[in-house]
Amino acid sequence: MRLLSLAPDRPRRGGPRHLTSGSPALLLLLLGGCLGVSGAAKSSRRPNVVLLLADDQDEVLGGMTPLKKTKALIGEMGMTFSSAYVPSALCCPSRASILTGKYPHNHHVVNNTLEGNCSSKSWQKIQEPNTFPAILRSMCGYQTFFAGKYLNEYGAPDAGGLGHVPLGWSYWYALEKNSKYYNYTLSINGKARKHGENYSVDYLTDVLANVSLDFLDYKSNSEPFFMMISTPAPHSPWTAAPQYQNAFQNVFAPRNKNFNIHGTNKHWLIRQAKTPMTNSSIQFLDNAFRKRWQTLLSVDDLVEKLVKRLEFNGELNNTYIFYTSDNGYHTGQFSLPIDKRQLYEFDIKVPLLVRGPGIKPNQTSKMLVANIDLGPTILDIAGYSLNKTQMDGMSFLPILKGASNLTWRSDVLVEYQGEGRNVTDPTCPSLSPGVSQCFPDCVCEDAYNNTYACVRTMSERWNLQYCEFDDQEVFVEVYNLTADPHQLNNIAKSIDPELLGKMNYRLMMLQSCSGPTCRTPGVFDPGYRFDPRLMFSNHGSVRTRRFSKHLL
């Protein structure tokens, strides 16, 4: 049975016409847009690309452990990045960064709500036409396929409903709103299809696997293809497939050095967590940790099926496969039960594995990369110049190909805008106003002034994180991760004041950056120069905070 309608895409009002592979207009686009830029594009058969995106999968707490086949089929056959980060530790802002290649202050998606620009009409009008899949389709002639979770508010009636198919996608198989495993609705090329709770036909991870295989069997062979497969796992509600529901019974959340301890010298939101955690809280997070791993076993099966089908079809050797996650996760660190959103390594660091033509097997790279680099890298593979885009990221294709004497960045920006109303929660009167994401014991994972921006720096000599909060304290956190990998000791008051000042300036510059200015040398790079002009916005005002409170 064919699960996916492979009808050719039609011209969409207000957007570029999708061209057939034999048209002269497309040939002109290819010559002007995607040929002769990268070594990958010079071959007669341009490479295919597959991007596999997990939901809330950490790297720091062992999130890749269940994925044995994925590590063997992608990581061991290519490169694993040990320093891959997201610019915002929350689903929708991070996914927007993947699609646009931009930091949140440039794509303006600040949280998972329509009001926060998550799949809003503003996003659809301004950002979607300039995503890297849209460029692949309109300028490079790629077939583009999407399956799974898109953005958390996709399908909202106030933003076009499920009939909205973003520009640039030839084939569209998207989940309505947030991750589920059963009882969900999909938009299939703009038409709604409801699914129930029958494992054999409805379990979402398996449905995504089947429709992806279907695409590989029925697509056109005259054009290269790009696939983005976005699984629900390991996001809540953590519903494992029946055959995996008893797996990992002896597995518990890691009891590392920052587990179930008080967040001394940290932002007030971290300090409010109750330490030690109750036995019931620990049992809850242990169960959540175990179930998250169980759901990932189906993702491992998906990856295996996909790689085998590519090999069977004779396309594996000409296909790049990326595996990553939209953000990390925590389970008990600093006595916060479960969530993401925080500035620490467990929430901002993600897995990143890549295999493909020209990538040697069994490699590990320590180079600092971020998910804003995925779009530029994939466009580089297709032969499209980053200079023609407004993207903030960099192509790491030279890293994948083993380039020597490569000049690379030493820092990335991390930014987050806290959620919550400036009122006291009546169920937790002892807490400050504006908290949100609270558990029954009044431990809260977010607040309206949990708004921060960080410079994450990695160089030969330094492994630092510098963060400022947009609150009344203007609270600062600084960590030396070489000496303190678990981020136990905030050294903001003891670090060299000159270095602190440099990091402050660098942060303000990155908060105001756009495109090439986001790729300037960091504080510890030989070419670093402090240019006061980069601290100013286009309107001449000093940019000292990450976001305006009224973005839309």
Side-chain angles (χ1 to χ4, degrees), residues 475-505:
F475 197 81
V476 175
E477 294 189 28
V478 184
Y479 298 97
N480 177 353
L481 282 100
T482 300
D484 180 23
H486 297 285
Q487 296 171 291
L488 303 177
N489 303 308
N490 179 8
I491 59 173
K493 294 182 179 180
S494 60
I495 196 169
D496 179 1
E498 182 180 354
L499 177 56
L500 202 67
K502 287 183 178 180
M503 298 302 290
N504 170 263
Y505 290 137

Side-chain angles (χ1 to χ4, degrees), residues 294-534:
Q294 291 170 355
T295 66
L296 285 169
L297 293 174
S298 293
V299 176
D300 211 29
D301 292 341
L302 182 158
V303 172
E304 180 184 40
K305 292 174 185 176
L306 188 76
V307 171
K308 285 185 175 180
R309 185 61 56 89
L310 286 167
E311 185 174 30
F312 179 81
N313 291 351
E315 295 174 314
L316 181 60
N317 291 338
N318 194 40
T319 301
Y320 287 88
I321 305 177
F322 295 71
Y323 183 93
T324 191
S325 173
D326 57 0
N327 49 254
Y329 208 70
H330 57 258
T331 49
Q333 283 62 48
F334 302 123
S335 298
L336 296 172
I338 56 167
D339 199 26
K340 50 265 187 177
R341 305 171 193 267
Q342 310 307 333
L343 58 86
Y344 308 104
E345 293 284 281
F346 42 74
D347 283 0
I348 64 173
K349 195 173 184 180
V350 292
L352 178 58
L353 293 72
V354 190
R355 69 172 287 172
I359 305 176
K360 295 179 181 178
N362 286 308
Q363 293 190 89
T364 299
S365 174
K366 296 180 180 180
M367 302 296 269
L368 179 62
V369 296
N371 69 9
I372 57 170
D373 302 328
L374 291 171
T377 302
I378 292 169
L379 290 177
D380 196 7
I381 289 170
Y384 191 84
S385 173
L386 176 61
N387 294 331
K388 297 180 180 180
T389 75
Q390 299 175 343
M391 294 182 176
D392 303 331
M394 305 170 65
S395 169
F396 56 81
L397 183 59
I399 297 175
L400 295 173
K401 293 293 188 73
S404 58
N405 300 318
L406 180 66
T407 299
W408 194 249
R409 70 154 71 88
S410 64
D411 59 21
V412 293
L413 175 68
V414 178
E415 45 191 358
Y416 177 71
Q417 182 164 303
E419 294 184 73
R421 295 182 302 141
N422 193 14
V423 295
T424 300
D425 187 337
T427 62
C428 301
S430 62
L431 294 178
S432 300
V435 293
S436 63
Q437 310 296 319
C438 298
F439 286 84
D441 58 355
C442 292
V443 174
C444 302
E445 295 276 1
D446 206 2
Y448 78 97
N449 67 356
N450 184 38
T451 295
Y452 59 81
C454 307
V455 182
R456 182 67 179 91
T457 297
M458 299 183 73
S459 67
E460 290 185 5
R461 292 185 54 206
W462 295 96
N463 186 3
L464 289 177
Q465 186 175 19
Y466 172 90
C467 302
E468 290 183 11
F469 283 83
D470 187 8
D471 59 10
Q472 292 181 347
E473 293 181 273
V474 192
F475 197 81
V476 175
E477 294 189 28
V478 184
Y479 298 97
N480 177 353
L481 282 100
T482 300
D484 180 23
H486 297 285
Q487 296 171 291
L488 303 177
N489 303 308
N490 179 8
I491 59 173
K493 294 182 179 180
S494 60
I495 196 169
D496 179 1
E498 182 180 354
L499 177 56
L500 202 67
K502 287 183 178 180
M503 298 302 290
N504 170 263
Y505 290 137
R506 180 63 176 166
L507 177 61
M508 286 192 285
M509 199 220 77
L510 286 175
Q511 287 179 277
S512 303
C513 76
S514 179
T517 60
C518 297
R519 304 189 287 271
T520 55
V523 169
F524 302 109
D525 292 329
Y528 174 75
R529 296 291 184 273
F530 173 57
D531 184 348
R533 294 172 297 179
L534 297 179

Side-chain angles (χ1 to χ4, degrees), residues 245-264:
Q245 289 178 356
N246 294 319
F248 306 119
Q249 289 303 304
N250 295 320
V251 168
F252 303 91
R255 270 46 172 182
N256 50 15
K257 290 185 178 180
N258 53 21
F259 178 82
N260 196 18
I261 67 167
H262 186 253
T264 306

Side-chain angles (χ1 to χ4, degrees), residues 152-164:
N152 295 56
E153 284 294 328
Y154 172 74
D158 292 342
L162 294 174
H164 171 69

Side-chain angles (χ1 to χ4, degrees), residues 103-132:
Y103 284 120
H105 69 261
N106 286 328
H107 61 59
H108 304 302
V109 178
V110 299
N111 57 41
N112 291 340
T113 67
L114 281 177
E115 295 76 15
N117 205 26
C118 181
S119 200
S120 68
K121 289 185 177 179
S122 174
W123 158 267
Q124 294 169 15
K125 179 181 178 180
I126 298 172
Q127 301 297 340
E128 280 185 345
N130 299 305
T131 62
F132 79 85

